């Protein structure tokens, strides 16, 4: 999996939820195709990938504990 390889290379934190990264990267594409019924270009795909990769590198997709496991 590409996301796991990025984590292994140190491009994203080890605690990154790889499945959530994939969901976030494809969500704008599916929205454009299925909800808006607009065409998808390579530019749209690259933009979604770049934004998601930057967010992953910044730690936006860290695996979080379930709120019930760690009450505040």
């Amino acid at each position: 999996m590409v996301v796991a390889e990025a984590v292994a290379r140190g491009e994203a934190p080890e605690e990154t939820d790889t499945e959530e990264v994939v969901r976030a990267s494809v969500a704008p594409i599916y929205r454009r195709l299925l909800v808006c019924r607009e065409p998808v270009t390579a530019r749209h795909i690259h933009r979604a990938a770049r934004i998601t990769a930057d967010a992953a590198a910044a730690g936006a997709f860290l695996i979080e504990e379930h709120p019930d496991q760690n009450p505040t």
Side-chain angles (χ1 to χ4, degrees), residues 28-46:
I29 303 307
Y30 281 114
R31 182 183 183 281
R32 183 174 281 277
L33 277 173
L34 302 175
V35 176
C36 300
R37 301 205 183 271
E38 297 174 346
V40 174
T41 65
R43 182 175 177 222
H44 296 119
I45 294 168
H46 290 289

